[in-house]
Amino acid sequence: MFIFSIAFLSGYSLPPLSTASASDSAIVTSTDNGRCLPSPLPSPPFPLADWAGGPLIGEPTSLPDYAMQAIQKATKKTWNKWNNTGIHIYGWVDAGVNGSTSKQTNLPMTYDYIPNRPMLNQLVLMVERDPDMVQTKKIDWGFVLNGIYGTDYRFTSAQGYFSNQLLKYNHIYGADPTQVYAELYVPQIAQGMLIKVGRYISPTDIEAQWAPQNYMYSHSLTFMADPYTYTGLQVFIRLHKQFQFVASVHAGSDMAPWGASAQPNGSLMLRWVSKDNKESIFGGLAAIGKGQYKDGHDNLQQFAFVWGHQFSNRFHMMTEAYYMWQFNAAKGGTAIEGPIIYGQGGGEGPIMPGRSEAIGMVNYLQAYLGAKDYLSLRNDALNDVQGQRTGYATWYTSHTLSWSHHFTDFIIIRPEIRYDHAWNRTGVTPYDNGTRNWQFVAAVDICISF
């Protein structure tokens, strides 16, 4: 499919956009991007304007103000006082429905893992202040506090953060404080340094935990298998417009430092972009430590690599690959107690002595259709060598086609179709609670920001 996509790009071009609408007459990307290179991607319609590896030191703050606009309408005086703090309050609700050939569960597909019924995936509230990292004169500060409620809490949950909802009781719906961190910006070190302390999202993925920041409704198999959040100290240092690196120490994959399974880990990642910002590489060690599965919880070690490439103003792609491992792991990963619901629960699987490995690859190819629309084609593969991530030792592939449409700046709809297949092993049937080796799903979500 990936080779077909490249052939498509080299042999086909879309007709010119209509000039009937000023918004569609040209593809507009950010030219005023602070101390950073001009952003390569138009956002909207794409969820992000820059390649992976952020936040970018030197880039202007760009946060939505939907909730703050309501305050402004209520009282100008209150708005002026609030605006001076630099604090932004906003959020979104994301809900979807799918039709699946599976009847019991869509896993290992995420996030729409419940088959043939509507789901409230995410209700998220963000409280955020970003430091001013364009200026180079003074130290500045920031913070992020956010919580999620919905079925997606299952994938953000970390041991030690109200995790009994999932790990002990296996609730379908739950809440999770996914990001809780403070920031300090120090412009006098190199070309700027940003320090984060607290719980933060894994920096490596193309896909994000947050619905508005994703190309599609569903997520790839690779995203399902790797870490979601870390808790610790994270440092970004900008060396040049084209180079930025991030180093951290943390308590392990999806674990609070006070959790029973916490173990010291480190990471070191480097981001490079070309002078025209049409090429990007971000990669390195996302987690390195002893890698011991402990007290029923994974401690995943990961080397990850993300490549972004812009073919033209209309077409770009994002590719990610990783190698992940741990030692003496349980088949199926972190133990989820409680009743078996939609394919998860029932306690810990058998321990597999020695090293367990997983290899993941995903490619996103995007086509710009206009100021409100784009198409996305995702092809991905996961080799769960011993079954540590999914409970089944096999190669998986999935292929997804999605269309995203913005009704307004704050209402997005994303229909998609997807086909999954498990290969290599006779009798391995990981789909629909172990009853088949393939799955077809048609799904759609709507994301409303506020």
Side-chain angles (χ1 to χ4, degrees), residues 429-445:
T429 55
Y431 290 99
D432 207 11
N433 268 355
T435 60
R436 63 173 70 196
N437 66 354
W438 64 275
Q439 178 176 268
F440 179 82
V441 176
V444 62
D445 76 323

PDB file of all heavy atoms in Angstrom, residues 429-445:
ATOM      1  N   THR A 429      -5.869 -16.316  16.147  1.00  0.00           N
ATOM      2  CA  THR A 429      -7.075 -15.540  15.842  1.00  0.00           C
ATOM      3  C   THR A 429      -7.286 -14.467  16.916  1.00  0.00           C
ATOM      4  O   THR A 429      -8.101 -14.641  17.825  1.00  0.00           O
ATOM      5  CB  THR A 429      -8.305 -16.471  15.768  1.00  0.00           C
ATOM      6  OG1 THR A 429      -8.387 -17.219  16.995  1.00  0.00           O
ATOM      7  CG2 THR A 429      -8.191 -17.430  14.593  1.00  0.00           C
ATOM      8  N   PRO A 430      -6.571 -13.354  16.818  1.00  0.00           N
ATOM      9  CA  PRO A 430      -6.615 -12.366  17.897  1.00  0.00           C
ATOM     10  C   PRO A 430      -7.855 -11.478  17.911  1.00  0.00           C
ATOM     11  O   PRO A 430      -8.095 -10.794  18.907  1.00  0.00           O
ATOM     12  CB  PRO A 430      -5.362 -11.525  17.650  1.00  0.00           C
ATOM     13  CG  PRO A 430      -5.117 -11.648  16.186  1.00  0.00           C
ATOM     14  CD  PRO A 430      -5.560 -13.022  15.805  1.00  0.00           C
ATOM     15  N   TYR A 431      -8.630 -11.474  16.839  1.00  0.00           N
ATOM     16  CA  TYR A 431      -9.761 -10.548  16.768  1.00  0.00           C
ATOM     17  C   TYR A 431     -11.045 -11.161  17.327  1.00  0.00           C
ATOM     18  O   TYR A 431     -11.249 -12.373  17.276  1.00  0.00           O
ATOM     19  CB  TYR A 431      -9.964 -10.079  15.325  1.00  0.00           C
ATOM     20  CG  TYR A 431      -8.851  -9.160  14.885  1.00  0.00           C
ATOM     21  CD1 TYR A 431      -7.790  -9.642  14.131  1.00  0.00           C
ATOM     22  CD2 TYR A 431      -8.826  -7.822  15.267  1.00  0.00           C
ATOM     23  CE1 TYR A 431      -6.738  -8.811  13.750  1.00  0.00           C
ATOM     24  CE2 TYR A 431      -7.786  -6.987  14.891  1.00  0.00           C
ATOM     25  CZ  TYR A 431      -6.747  -7.491  14.136  1.00  0.00           C
ATOM     26  OH  TYR A 431      -5.710  -6.661  13.782  1.00  0.00           O
ATOM     27  N   ASP A 432     -11.884 -10.279  17.844  1.00  0.00           N
ATOM     28  CA  ASP A 432     -13.192 -10.655  18.400  1.00  0.00           C
ATOM     29  C   ASP A 432     -13.066 -11.729  19.466  1.00  0.00           C
ATOM     30  O   ASP A 432     -13.687 -12.799  19.393  1.00  0.00           O
ATOM     31  CB  ASP A 432     -14.147 -11.101  17.286  1.00  0.00           C
ATOM     32  CG  ASP A 432     -15.609 -10.870  17.662  1.00  0.00           C
ATOM     33  OD1 ASP A 432     -15.856 -10.178  18.671  1.00  0.00           O
ATOM     34  OD2 ASP A 432     -16.490 -11.373  16.950  1.00  0.00           O
ATOM     35  N   ASN A 433     -12.219 -11.422  20.478  1.00  0.00           N
ATOM     36  CA  ASN A 433     -12.002 -12.336  21.609  1.00  0.00           C
ATOM     37  C   ASN A 433     -11.473 -13.694  21.161  1.00  0.00           C
ATOM     38  O   ASN A 433     -11.905 -14.740  21.650  1.00  0.00           O
ATOM     39  CB  ASN A 433     -13.282 -12.522  22.431  1.00  0.00           C
ATOM     40  CG  ASN A 433     -13.376 -11.525  23.573  1.00  0.00           C
ATOM     41  OD1 ASN A 433     -12.451 -10.756  23.811  1.00  0.00           O
ATOM     42  ND2 ASN A 433     -14.501 -11.541  24.272  1.00  0.00           N
ATOM     43  N   GLY A 434     -10.542 -13.668  20.213  1.00  0.00           N
ATOM     44  CA  GLY A 434      -9.863 -14.891  19.815  1.00  0.00           C
ATOM     45  C   GLY A 434     -10.633 -15.793  18.889  1.00  0.00           C
ATOM     46  O   GLY A 434     -10.425 -17.014  18.893  1.00  0.00           O
ATOM     47  N   THR A 435     -11.536 -15.227  18.065  1.00  0.00           N
ATOM     48  CA  THR A 435     -12.372 -16.064  17.208  1.00  0.00           C
ATOM     49  C   THR A 435     -12.076 -15.918  15.717  1.00  0.00           C
ATOM     50  O   THR A 435     -12.553 -16.726  14.925  1.00  0.00           O
ATOM     51  CB  THR A 435     -13.863 -15.742  17.429  1.00  0.00           C
ATOM     52  OG1 THR A 435     -14.107 -14.364  17.115  1.00  0.00           O
ATOM     53  CG2 THR A 435     -14.247 -16.011  18.881  1.00  0.00           C
ATOM     54  N   ARG A 436     -11.302 -14.895  15.307  1.00  0.00           N
ATOM     55  CA  ARG A 436     -11.001 -14.725  13.881  1.00  0.00           C
ATOM     56  C   ARG A 436      -9.686 -13.984  13.708  1.00  0.00           C
ATOM     57  O   ARG A 436      -9.183 -13.344  14.639  1.00  0.00           O
ATOM     58  CB  ARG A 436     -12.131 -14.001  13.163  1.00  0.00           C
ATOM     59  CG  ARG A 436     -12.372 -12.564  13.645  1.00  0.00           C
ATOM     60  CD  ARG A 436     -13.395 -11.857  12.757  1.00  0.00           C
ATOM     61  NE  ARG A 436     -14.719 -12.412  12.947  1.00  0.00           N
ATOM     62  CZ  ARG A 436     -15.730 -12.215  12.099  1.00  0.00           C
ATOM     63  NH1 ARG A 436     -15.544 -11.511  10.994  1.00  0.00           N
ATOM     64  NH2 ARG A 436     -16.929 -12.712  12.343  1.00  0.00           N
ATOM     65  N   ASN A 437      -9.143 -14.070  12.476  1.00  0.00           N
ATOM     66  CA  ASN A 437      -7.844 -13.441  12.215  1.00  0.00           C
ATOM     67  C   ASN A 437      -7.963 -12.160  11.390  1.00  0.00           C
ATOM     68  O   ASN A 437      -6.953 -11.657  10.895  1.00  0.00           O
ATOM     69  CB  ASN A 437      -6.882 -14.422  11.538  1.00  0.00           C
ATOM     70  CG  ASN A 437      -7.339 -14.818  10.139  1.00  0.00           C
ATOM     71  OD1 ASN A 437      -8.438 -14.452   9.704  1.00  0.00           O
ATOM     72  ND2 ASN A 437      -6.501 -15.572   9.434  1.00  0.00           N
ATOM     73  N   TRP A 438      -9.157 -11.619  11.242  1.00  0.00           N
ATOM     74  CA  TRP A 438      -9.328 -10.373  10.499  1.00  0.00           C
ATOM     75  C   TRP A 438     -10.519  -9.598  11.067  1.00  0.00           C
ATOM     76  O   TRP A 438     -11.333 -10.132  11.815  1.00  0.00           O
ATOM     77  CB  TRP A 438      -9.539 -10.644   9.004  1.00  0.00           C
ATOM     78  CG  TRP A 438     -10.815 -11.400   8.712  1.00  0.00           C
ATOM     79  CD1 TRP A 438     -10.991 -12.750   8.738  1.00  0.00           C
ATOM     80  CD2 TRP A 438     -12.092 -10.836   8.390  1.00  0.00           C
ATOM     81  NE1 TRP A 438     -12.294 -13.077   8.444  1.00  0.00           N
ATOM     82  CE2 TRP A 438     -12.997 -11.915   8.214  1.00  0.00           C
ATOM     83  CE3 TRP A 438     -12.564  -9.537   8.215  1.00  0.00           C
ATOM     84  CZ2 TRP A 438     -14.336 -11.724   7.892  1.00  0.00           C
ATOM     85  CZ3 TRP A 438     -13.911  -9.338   7.895  1.00  0.00           C
ATOM     86  CH2 TRP A 438     -14.769 -10.430   7.724  1.00  0.00           C
ATOM     87  N   GLN A 439     -10.584  -8.328  10.647  1.00  0.00           N
ATOM     88  CA  GLN A 439     -11.664  -7.466  11.130  1.00  0.00           C
ATOM     89  C   GLN A 439     -11.842  -6.294  10.161  1.00  0.00           C
ATOM     90  O   GLN A 439     -10.860  -5.721   9.680  1.00  0.00           O
ATOM     91  CB  GLN A 439     -11.306  -6.947  12.525  1.00  0.00           C
ATOM     92  CG  GLN A 439     -12.313  -6.003  13.152  1.00  0.00           C
ATOM     93  CD  GLN A 439     -11.901  -5.641  14.565  1.00  0.00           C
ATOM     94  OE1 GLN A 439     -12.296  -6.290  15.527  1.00  0.00           O
ATOM     95  NE2 GLN A 439     -11.071  -4.608  14.695  1.00  0.00           N
ATOM     96  N   PHE A 440     -13.089  -5.949   9.901  1.00  0.00           N
ATOM     97  CA  PHE A 440     -13.410  -4.768   9.088  1.00  0.00           C
ATOM     98  C   PHE A 440     -14.301  -3.851   9.919  1.00  0.00           C
ATOM     99  O   PHE A 440     -15.276  -4.299  10.530  1.00  0.00           O
ATOM    100  CB  PHE A 440     -14.130  -5.167   7.796  1.00  0.00           C
ATOM    101  CG  PHE A 440     -14.505  -3.982   6.948  1.00  0.00           C
ATOM    102  CD1 PHE A 440     -13.583  -3.390   6.100  1.00  0.00           C
ATOM    103  CD2 PHE A 440     -15.783  -3.445   7.000  1.00  0.00           C
ATOM    104  CE1 PHE A 440     -13.916  -2.291   5.323  1.00  0.00           C
ATOM    105  CE2 PHE A 440     -16.138  -2.349   6.233  1.00  0.00           C
ATOM    106  CZ  PHE A 440     -15.187  -1.770   5.390  1.00  0.00           C
ATOM    107  N   VAL A 441     -13.960  -2.547   9.921  1.00  0.00           N
ATOM    108  CA  VAL A 441     -14.698  -1.583  10.719  1.00  0.00           C
ATOM    109  C   VAL A 441     -14.936  -0.316   9.903  1.00  0.00           C
ATOM    110  O   VAL A 441     -14.020   0.202   9.243  1.00  0.00           O
ATOM    111  CB  VAL A 441     -13.926  -1.214  12.019  1.00  0.00           C
ATOM    112  CG1 VAL A 441     -14.678  -0.129  12.804  1.00  0.00           C
ATOM    113  CG2 VAL A 441     -13.724  -2.438  12.897  1.00  0.00           C
ATOM    114  N   ALA A 442     -16.153   0.184   9.937  1.00  0.00           N
ATOM    115  CA  ALA A 442     -16.468   1.520   9.430  1.00  0.00           C
ATOM    116  C   ALA A 442     -16.870   2.357  10.647  1.00  0.00           C
ATOM    117  O   ALA A 442     -17.675   1.926  11.472  1.00  0.00           O
ATOM    118  CB  ALA A 442     -17.615   1.464   8.423  1.00  0.00           C
ATOM    119  N   ALA A 443     -16.288   3.561  10.764  1.00  0.00           N
ATOM    120  CA  ALA A 443     -16.504   4.351  11.963  1.00  0.00           C
ATOM    121  C   ALA A 443     -16.543   5.835  11.605  1.00  0.00           C
ATOM    122  O   ALA A 443     -16.077   6.252  10.542  1.00  0.00           O
ATOM    123  CB  ALA A 443     -15.406   4.091  12.990  1.00  0.00           C
ATOM    124  N   VAL A 444     -17.089   6.626  12.527  1.00  0.00           N
ATOM    125  CA  VAL A 444     -17.107   8.075  12.368  1.00  0.00           C
ATOM    126  C   VAL A 444     -17.130   8.698  13.764  1.00  0.00           C
ATOM    127  O   VAL A 444     -17.739   8.159  14.693  1.00  0.00           O
ATOM    128  CB  VAL A 444     -18.316   8.551  11.533  1.00  0.00           C
ATOM    129  CG1 VAL A 444     -19.629   8.192  12.210  1.00  0.00           C
ATOM    130  CG2 VAL A 444     -18.254  10.046  11.268  1.00  0.00           C
ATOM    131  N   ASP A 445     -16.417   9.808  13.920  1.00  0.00           N
ATOM    132  CA  ASP A 445     -16.496  10.551  15.169  1.00  0.00           C
ATOM    133  C   ASP A 445     -16.764  12.019  14.866  1.00  0.00           C
ATOM    134  O   ASP A 445     -16.581  12.493  13.740  1.00  0.00           O
ATOM    135  CB  ASP A 445     -15.230  10.395  16.008  1.00  0.00           C
ATOM    136  CG  ASP A 445     -14.071  11.223  15.488  1.00  0.00           C
ATOM    137  OD1 ASP A 445     -13.929  11.339  14.247  1.00  0.00           O
ATOM    138  OD2 ASP A 445     -13.282  11.732  16.301  1.00  0.00           O
TER     139      ASP A 445
END
